[in-house]
Amino acid sequence: MVKISRPSTGRHHLAFALLLALVAVGICVPVFALLPSLTSHQSLPRALTVTRDEKMMSRDFYIKDDMFWKDENPFQIIGGDLHYFRVLPEYWEDRLLRAKALGLNTIQTYVPWNLHEPKPGKFVFEGIADLVSFIKLCQKLDLLVMLRAGPYICGEWDLGGFPAWLLAVKPPLKLRTGDPAYLKLVERWWNVLLPKVFPLLYSNGGPVIMVQIENEYGSYGNDKAYLCDLVTMATGHLGNDIILYTTDGGTRETLEKGTIPLYDVYSAVDFSTGDDPWPIFELQKKFNAPGRSPPLSSEFYTGWLTHWGEKIAKTDAEFTAASLEKILSRNGSAVLYMVHGGTNLGFYNGANTGSDESDYKPDLTSYDYDAPIKESGDIDNPKFKALQRVIKKYSAAPHSITPSNKKRKAYGPIKMQRTMSLFDLMSMTDPVDMITSANPISMESAGQMFGFLVYESSYISKKSGNILKIPKVHDRAQVFVSCLSQDVDEGVLRYIGTTERWNDQPVSIPTTECTSDTSLFILVENMGRVNYGPYIFDEKGILSPVYLDGQVLQGWKMIPIPFHNLNQMPNFSFEMQHTKNRSEPFELTNELGQKEPALFAGEFSINSVEEIKDTYLSFNSWGKGVAFVNKFNIGRYWPSVGPQCNLYVPAPVLKPGKNYVVIFELESPHVDLLLESVYQENFTCGSNESKVNQL
């Protein structure tokens, strides 16, 4: 049981405690049989079994009288979400100082399991995954920390933070439930994570004042036993003196499903900006113990997310600030989501769905979120100023000097050169990594968790042509044919068409003149896994039989394309001098040349360290793909759909001398093969006339 310290007296407290004990014995004890290693007090480390008198009495964060208290003084949380995994470590301090200049006293962050355990049993806490260093940096800057430990986080992050390899476990796991196989893997993960957090708790001298269990569970399920299990795991590592909390939408239904009142876990709420907060805070009280419900909006939305193909989301600065003041003026607490959004670097962007799983909506690479601190760190904007003006009225913390915007530089045009075709990339794959089977298998089953997978088969071409049908593909499949057994045009892929998760129309294959069977290649792109809602078990690749002229086509080879993700070492060299140089010029003279996916490489020079500044790469007039700068995966581009035209390139990625840009273009290269390094963001691409969605 989680205890929120400080004694209270009275019949209400006694009755509530007795009720907790009775119900816990009746409900939660059988559940805990799944986790024998955490139910025995003897299994706890010595640090968790010491008496309260042995603790640091001078440091205490607790709840009493419907208020937060810090070291015997009432405390109003004025916080903001800032995710370490969306910002380069070199910029952590800069972004935190800007949050502090806004007037914040607390930073809230998720912990994405998939970043820290990219492969089963391989744990990573270095580079952008150095959570401990981030938390210590917060403390250095006198910022408290609210840690959202998951295991599910949502956050517009691939699979809601779950590692993709969970989808390959057989029999299939039941995510976000009391499934013993799933809980065993969560326990293994938290056995690594939570001991790192324990020394950083506020009572132990660190900045962590609260740890969140799950995330908005009431919008997904109603498995109280599962939530009880997570609480038991957390207290087994963190003890009883840390406030555990949940976050759920501010409705009776979501709070009934997502809260854990029997364990005295604190229940926070979130709701739409502009909603009257105080009736929701009154409802919140019904799901917390008496006297233990300080009003807290743990996700006060400063903006909103944007999917590819939508208008960029914007919210009015004065409206947002006025909504925040309604909370702060009556001693309510709030955490700005986001104070700084950052970037969905690599392949880690998430996605949403609509009415069914085919109504698929992947998130942009930019996670600017229309936050007061922009993706590039800029704070010279109306929203930052409006929120700062409100926060200054209520924040007791001394305000730091507001930093100036970071300088940016446009390095100009970058001439790109076609260096490798899709066929070249396939030929680089180690045969050991290729998988053969009668029918296609998922990307996860093939061990390709992110990026691209090629499915290869063969068929006999008809004089009248053939009809290809893939009932279920996640997310986007480009179809090619080739006469690989012939010397003529060896290695040339002929583009046929594209079928997509949201538009699975049949593809007509014209007749070929191959002297033997025609080779069929299907390049499937994983565009980001669903992170929210009922369709979160989002496997990628071809997930159904493939039909040719109504008959199942069998005999497949799966070929992974070796691109690396965030915080991973490249699988092959990207420098231009090490790529395959083609002697023939590349000319965009026909549909074939425009549609065969290929690597393009270019370079630009920076004369000195002093000239290294943030920049953006403009992909205007390019098609769709992924980009790397000096081997660093800066994310996806898709200007033909928009609204994002430019990708943010933070200065720490760059270096004096030559800087290499490599892109994997899936569709249509710029006619002059030009990229351009430009000065600022641009969210006006795509077919819609207006690209601003004012919320």
Side-chain angles (χ1 to χ4, degrees):
M1 181 180 294
V2 177
K3 295 188 297 183
I4 304 177
S5 57
R6 283 291 170 276
S8 62
T9 59
R11 292 189 299 273
H12 291 297
H13 181 71
L14 178 61
F16 192 81
L18 290 173
L19 179 62
L20 295 185
L22 289 172
V23 179
V25 168
I27 294 179
C28 293
V29 168
V31 174
F32 295 157
L34 298 173
L35 303 164
S37 65
L38 296 178
T39 57
S40 171
H41 193 65
Q42 284 81 5
S43 67
L44 299 180
R46 164 64 181 158
L48 304 188
T49 60
V50 296
T51 66
R52 185 66 177 166
D53 291 338
E54 294 174 272
K55 288 281 189 178
M56 300 176 61
M57 296 302 294
S58 61
R59 291 180 63 85
D60 205 358
F61 193 92
Y62 56 98
I63 295 174
K64 184 182 73 172
D65 299 333
D66 289 333
M67 292 187 293
F68 295 110
W69 294 74
K70 176 176 172 282
D71 303 333
E72 310 298 335
N73 297 308
F75 187 80
Q76 185 179 32
I77 294 173
I78 306 178
D81 261 82
L82 195 160
H83 303 155
Y84 60 97
F85 48 90
R86 285 185 160 119
V87 181
L88 292 189
E90 295 89 340
Y91 276 175
W92 285 346
E93 184 164 2
D94 175 84
R95 301 308 194 253
L96 290 171
L97 284 171
R98 293 167 192 272
K100 191 173 178 66
L102 186 62
L104 304 190
N105 55 32
T106 304
I107 294 297
Q108 183 172 249
T109 185
Y110 289 123
V111 181
W113 182 2
N114 52 11
L115 181 68
H116 294 284
E117 193 180 1
K119 295 181 180 179
K122 178 187 177 183
F123 296 98
V124 179
F125 286 90
E126 296 83 34
I128 204 168
D130 192 350
L131 170 64
V132 171
S133 291
F134 179 79
I135 294 174
K136 289 181 176 179
L137 183 57
C138 290
Q139 183 171 25
K140 170 190 167 185
L141 301 177
D142 198 25
L143 291 163
L144 300 174
V145 173
M146 296 168 63
L147 197 67
R148 314 178 86 173
Y152 164 79
I153 66 168
C154 186
E156 290 72 65
W157 193 253
D158 188 84
L159 199 57
F162 284 132
W165 51 261
L166 292 179
L167 305 182
V169 175
K170 303 299 180 187
L173 298 174
K174 297 177 181 177
L175 304 179
R176 306 185 75 187
T177 73
D179 174 9
Y182 161 67
L183 284 174
K184 185 177 180 180
L185 293 170
V186 173
E187 183 175 13
R188 184 180 73 182
W189 158 228
W190 275 9
N191 283 349
V192 175
L193 171 66
L194 296 184
K196 294 180 182 294
V197 174
F198 178 72
L200 301 170
L201 300 182
Y202 189 78
S203 60
N204 294 332
V208 179
I209 55 172
M210 299 169 65
V211 175
Q212 182 175 305
I213 300 296
E214 251 275 349
N215 189 59
E216 295 181 328
Y217 187 71
S219 299
Y220 178 81
N222 192 23
D223 188 344
K224 297 290 186 180
Y226 163 56
L227 298 178
C228 287
D229 288 339
L230 295 181
V231 170
T232 303
M233 290 186 203
T235 54
H237 287 288
L238 303 179
N240 295 329
D241 295 319
I242 180 68
I243 300 173
L244 299 183
Y245 70 111
T246 57
T247 292
D248 283 288
T251 69
R252 182 174 295 275
E253 179 184 4
T254 53
L255 287 166
E256 284 177 347
K257 292 179 179 180
T259 57
I260 323 172
L262 298 180
Y263 268 76
D264 211 9
V265 175
Y266 170 65
S267 302
V269 292
D270 58 31
F271 45 86
S272 297
T273 301
D275 287 354
D276 187 350
W278 290 98
I280 298 172
F281 290 145
E282 285 299 312
L283 177 65
Q284 177 191 8
K285 285 185 177 181
K286 299 181 185 298
F287 296 90
N288 282 305
R292 300 178 185 270
S293 191
L296 169 64
S297 172
S298 53
E299 289 190 10
F300 175 87
Y301 301 110
T302 60
W304 199 245
L305 61 100
T306 305
H307 304 116
W308 290 107
E310 296 177 348
K311 300 175 183 178
I312 192 69
K314 295 285 184 182
T315 57
D316 180 75
E318 294 299 329
F319 173 80
T320 303
S323 299
L324 178 63
E325 187 157 23
K326 289 179 182 178
I327 297 174
L328 300 184
S329 63
R330 294 175 57 180
N331 203 36
S333 293
V335 180
L336 308 184
Y337 192 100
M338 302 287 297
V339 65
H340 172 58
T343 309
N344 291 321
L345 297 163
F347 294 119
Y348 274 119
N349 67 277
N352 289 292
T353 53
S355 57
D356 57 58
E357 65 175 335
S358 65
D359 186 11
Y360 174 74
K361 304 171 183 179
D363 297 318
L364 299 184
T365 297
S366 173
Y367 199 62
D368 179 85
Y369 213 83
D370 196 29
I373 304 173
K374 309 308 292 179
E375 181 180 16
S376 63
D378 285 2
I379 55 177
D380 186 12
N381 63 77
K383 187 168 289 183
F384 186 94
K385 295 173 182 177
L387 290 170
Q388 185 185 55
R389 185 177 64 250
V390 168
I391 291 170
K392 278 186 174 181
K393 297 180 184 179
Y394 307 101
S395 175
H399 291 270
S400 58
I401 298 173
T402 301
S404 59
N405 286 343
K406 293 190 74 65
K407 293 182 178 179
R408 297 191 298 269
K409 186 174 178 64
Y411 294 102
I414 304 169
K415 181 66 175 180
M416 305 298 287
Q417 173 187 344
R418 187 178 190 261
T419 58
M420 285 189 188
S421 68
L422 175 60
F423 186 80
D424 295 329
L425 286 168
M426 288 190 291
S427 67
M428 292 177 60
T429 302
D430 190 328
V432 174
D433 296 327
M434 300 180 187
I435 297 174
T436 58
S437 67
N439 291 299
I441 64 174
S442 71
M443 295 177 77
E444 294 80 10
S445 297
Q448 183 76 351
M449 302 304 166
F450 296 95
F452 305 86
L453 186 66
V454 174
Y455 293 79
E456 179 185 356
S457 188
S458 62
Y459 67 98
I460 299 175
S461 178
K462 294 181 178 178
K463 290 184 178 180
S464 58
N466 303 82
I467 301 295
L468 182 76
K469 174 70 174 176
I470 311 174
K472 189 173 184 180
V473 61
H474 288 189
D475 297 303
R476 192 168 184 270
Q478 292 170 267
V479 180
F480 307 87
V481 297
S482 181
C483 303
L484 288 185
S485 61
Q486 298 173 220
D487 292 333
V488 179
D489 289 335
E490 181 180 359
V492 174
L493 301 180
R494 180 182 179 189
Y495 172 73
I496 301 301
T498 299
T499 184
E500 298 152 327
R501 177 173 180 164
W502 55 93
N503 182 23
D504 61 347
Q505 294 300 309
V507 176
S508 297
I509 305 177
T511 187
T512 65
E513 298 180 0
C514 301
T515 57
S516 59
D517 289 357
T518 302
S519 294
L520 172 69
F521 297 90
I522 304 173
L523 174 66
V524 177
E525 180 187 5
N526 165 4
M527 293 175 59
R529 292 180 181 85
V530 172
N531 59 264
Y532 179 82
Y535 305 112
I536 193 172
F537 200 96
D538 188 19
E539 294 177 286
K540 298 301 185 181
I542 296 177
L543 307 176
S544 67
V546 175
Y547 295 89
L548 191 71
D549 301 324
Q551 301 297 313
V552 174
L553 182 62
Q554 293 190 318
W556 290 89
K557 180 191 294 182
M558 276 58 68
I559 308 170
I561 302 300
F563 293 126
H564 60 283
N565 203 356
L566 179 66
N567 219 36
Q568 292 180 335
M569 290 299 294
N571 295 330
F572 60 93
S573 176
F574 276 115
E575 275 88 345
M576 291 180 66
Q577 62 266 32
H578 292 151
T579 56
K580 180 177 178 181
N581 292 314
R582 292 182 171 234
S583 57
E584 73 274 14
F586 175 62
E587 297 179 1
L588 300 178
T589 57
N590 52 48
E591 186 71 6
L592 168 62
Q594 291 192 359
K595 287 294 186 179
E596 183 186 358
L599 278 183
F600 293 82
E603 63 184 47
F604 63 97
S605 293
I606 300 177
N607 293 329
S608 65
V609 172
E610 291 73 25
E611 290 188 16
I612 297 177
K613 309 293 181 187
D614 289 357
T615 190
Y616 289 85
L617 287 183
S618 171
F619 287 88
N620 272 308
S621 299
W622 290 81
K624 186 182 195 304
V626 59
F628 304 82
V629 176
N630 293 330
K631 304 181 184 180
F632 185 86
N633 189 333
I634 63 170
R636 309 174 199 266
Y637 63 89
W638 199 4
S640 59
V641 168
Q644 185 172 1
C645 313
N646 304 346
L647 293 185
Y648 173 55
V649 183
V653 172
L654 304 177
K655 61 185 180 181
K658 289 184 178 180
N659 289 264
Y660 297 97
V661 179
V662 175
I663 65 174
F664 183 45
E665 169 60 51
L666 297 171
E667 293 183 340
S668 306
H670 187 288
V671 66
D672 295 319
L673 300 185
L674 285 178
L675 276 180
E676 188 166 4
S677 166
V678 297
Y679 178 77
Q680 61 188 5
E681 64 185 27
N682 185 348
F683 293 104
T684 63
C685 282
S687 57
N688 294 338
E689 292 183 8
S690 172
K691 279 296 174 181
V692 176
N693 182 19
Q694 188 72 34
L695 299 177

